[in-house]
Amino acid sequence: MENGQLTYRPIIEERQFLQEQLAARGMPTSQLDNLKYVSGLDKEAGFFTRLAFDEDDTEAVTQGTTVSVKPTEFVGFVGFDDPKAFEEAYHSSDFVAEGGAGFYPPYVVNALGGWGITGDYYNGNPYEAFAKGAAREMYETYRGQRRGNKR
């Protein structure tokens, strides 16, 4: 618990795994020591984070190093038992790569372009496509390593 909210900070092995995976994809990793998953919105959530979080089909939204997770989805993010936990870690790298708040303008432009092409601002957004693809690969690798460690 932090500030009265359920909060999960990846343990060292999870951070190391994320660092290896994100670095291999040319993504920044300096933010990972501060990465946290919070159940619900925290007091620092900005306007766009709040707007996206309120969408019915949204399960999580990343703002910098804070991943705001819908309370009903929080358990899957703890311990990285869901690919979406990796997707949001990837977005924390997007945020750093674009200079923090500088992430929002290109994200919005890509969302609008995706909407214009596919009719879906979320699934048509290249930021989401790259994050989802990387997340699936990271999740499968992570699961395989965890299974290997249980033998």
Side-chain angles (χ1 to χ4, degrees):
M1 291 283 262
E2 291 182 23
N3 299 319
Q5 288 183 284
L6 286 175
T7 303
Y8 181 74
R9 291 182 180 271
I11 61 174
I12 187 125
E13 292 85 1
E14 293 164 343
R15 286 194 316 270
Q16 288 172 340
F17 178 82
L18 290 170
Q19 286 171 335
E20 292 168 7
Q21 293 292 311
L22 291 169
R25 290 169 171 77
M27 298 300 287
T29 62
S30 61
Q31 78 287 359
L32 294 174
D33 286 341
N34 298 310
L35 183 65
K36 66 181 179 179
Y37 295 83
V38 177
S39 180
L41 288 168
D42 72 0
K43 64 182 180 183
E44 297 172 4
F47 173 77
F48 291 112
T49 300
R50 292 178 182 282
L51 190 65
F53 193 81
D54 286 340
E55 293 288 318
D56 288 339
D57 57 349
T58 296
E59 295 177 0
V61 178
T62 299
Q63 177 180 311
T65 58
T66 301
V67 180
S68 298
V69 183
K70 293 272 176 93
T72 56
E73 305 297 324
F74 189 71
V75 171
F77 283 76
V78 174
F80 293 86
D81 290 328
D82 188 314
K84 293 175 214 96
F86 294 95
E87 180 180 344
E88 298 306 324
Y90 190 95
H91 283 314
S92 77
S93 288
D94 284 333
F95 203 82
V96 172
E98 297 290 352
F103 168 73
Y104 293 114
Y107 184 90
V108 169
V109 167
N110 279 288
L112 292 172
W115 179 76
I117 294 169
T118 68
D120 183 341
Y121 72 91
Y122 176 75
N123 288 311
N125 188 330
Y127 279 105
E128 296 300 337
F130 281 107
K132 282 181 182 180
R136 278 191 300 273
E137 292 173 5
M138 288 190 286
Y139 176 69
E140 291 302 323
T141 302
Y142 188 69
R143 282 183 56 209
Q145 287 181 3
R146 282 176 44 189
R147 268 190 247 120
N149 290 337
K150 290 181 181 177
R151 291 182 192 180

